Amino acid sequence: MKKANIKLSKIDTVILAGGLGTRLGSVLNNKPKCLAKVNGRPFIDILIKSYIDQGLKRFIICVGYLKEQVIKYLSGRKDCDIVFSTEDKSLGTGGALKKAQKLIKSDLYIVINGDSFIEIDINKYIKWFHYKKNNISIVIKKMTNSKRYGNVHIDENGLIIKFEEKNHLSFSSNINAGVYLFK
């Protein structure tokens, strides 16, 4: 694989953290889902730390629902640069990303869902992205029981041919892992 000169600290990471968390409402106690505690730590801390540990330093957090709590919580971080893209009304995933676009400084940027986690070597993923000469990429994961997730269908070249909503059938399929690269 051709070596790409990648300086991760110069790549922006957009975190989509504006969702309502309706399925978690009973355990969130009027908190945004990215602040839900996992082993005593807010999930957003776990997510950001995993990317800081790999060398990423600039994060654009897309916030909407209960945004003041997220802004207050993250504003004191000293280990990275955080910028907020705020929504007054829910714009959905595409709308949140479009609104954040003016804050993105890097030509290549990462987008991650603020409510899911997958262990991934970002450096390796970016090298593969450059090698394939992609403009957009989505990380997918093979699940043996995919009934809780929407499915991603790919062709023999690895290109997405179809997204399928949750169908509640238990079978092996690829799912969207919530990590994207854009050029």
Side-chain angles (χ1 to χ4, degrees):
M1 192 177 297
K2 184 179 161 185
K3 290 218 177 210
N5 187 13
I6 303 164
K7 188 153 176 84
L8 293 178
S9 63
K10 300 294 183 190
I11 296 175
D12 288 338
T13 303
V14 178
I15 299 178
L16 302 168
L20 296 174
T22 51
R23 290 175 289 186
L24 294 173
S26 63
V27 295
L28 287 175
N29 298 322
N30 204 33
K31 284 188 178 166
K33 63 182 169 178
C34 70
L35 293 182
K37 292 201 175 181
V38 177
N39 291 330
R41 291 179 59 204
F43 182 74
I44 193 86
D45 280 345
I46 296 166
L47 198 58
I48 290 172
K49 183 177 180 338
S50 73
Y51 288 97
I52 288 173
D53 288 349
Q54 294 188 64
L56 296 164
K57 296 292 178 203
R58 187 168 189 274
F59 297 88
I60 300 161
I61 315 294
C62 298
V63 291
Y65 179 67
L66 301 174
K67 64 183 172 254
E68 298 81 10
Q69 291 181 40
V70 180
I71 293 168
K72 182 179 178 184
Y73 181 77
L74 292 175
S75 289
R77 283 194 85 120
K78 304 286 187 230
D79 56 348
C80 62
D81 296 323
I82 294 181
V83 178
F84 296 97
S85 177
T86 62
E87 299 174 20
D88 292 322
K89 64 176 188 161
S90 181
L91 301 174
T93 300
L97 189 53
K98 180 71 176 161
K99 186 161 196 228
Q101 216 168 14
K102 66 181 177 282
L103 301 171
I104 299 169
K105 294 179 180 178
S106 57
D107 292 331
L108 174 71
Y109 59 97
I110 302 162
V111 176
I112 56 177
N113 292 348
D115 61 357
S116 56
F117 182 87
I118 185 167
E119 286 192 36
I120 182 169
D121 182 328
I122 288 296
N123 198 37
K124 197 174 190 180
Y125 181 35
I126 292 171
K127 285 180 182 179
W128 170 85
F129 185 83
H130 284 301
Y131 175 76
K132 290 290 194 176
K133 298 181 178 158
N134 286 329
N135 289 316
I136 300 172
S137 176
I138 299 173
V139 174
I140 59 173
K141 178 172 177 44
K142 186 77 157 182
M143 296 291 287
T144 53
N145 182 351
S146 66
K147 73 179 184 178
R148 290 183 36 216
Y149 310 96
N151 299 303
V152 180
H153 298 270
I154 57 175
D155 68 13
E156 63 278 353
N157 297 314
L159 298 175
I160 295 172
I161 55 174
K162 179 180 169 185
F163 288 99
E164 185 177 62
E165 289 299 320
K166 297 175 195 172
N167 61 18
H168 306 290
L169 298 174
S170 179
F171 60 89
S172 179
S173 183
N174 295 311
I175 67 163
N176 177 350
V179 178
Y180 317 84
L181 274 175
F182 290 87
K183 183 177 174 186

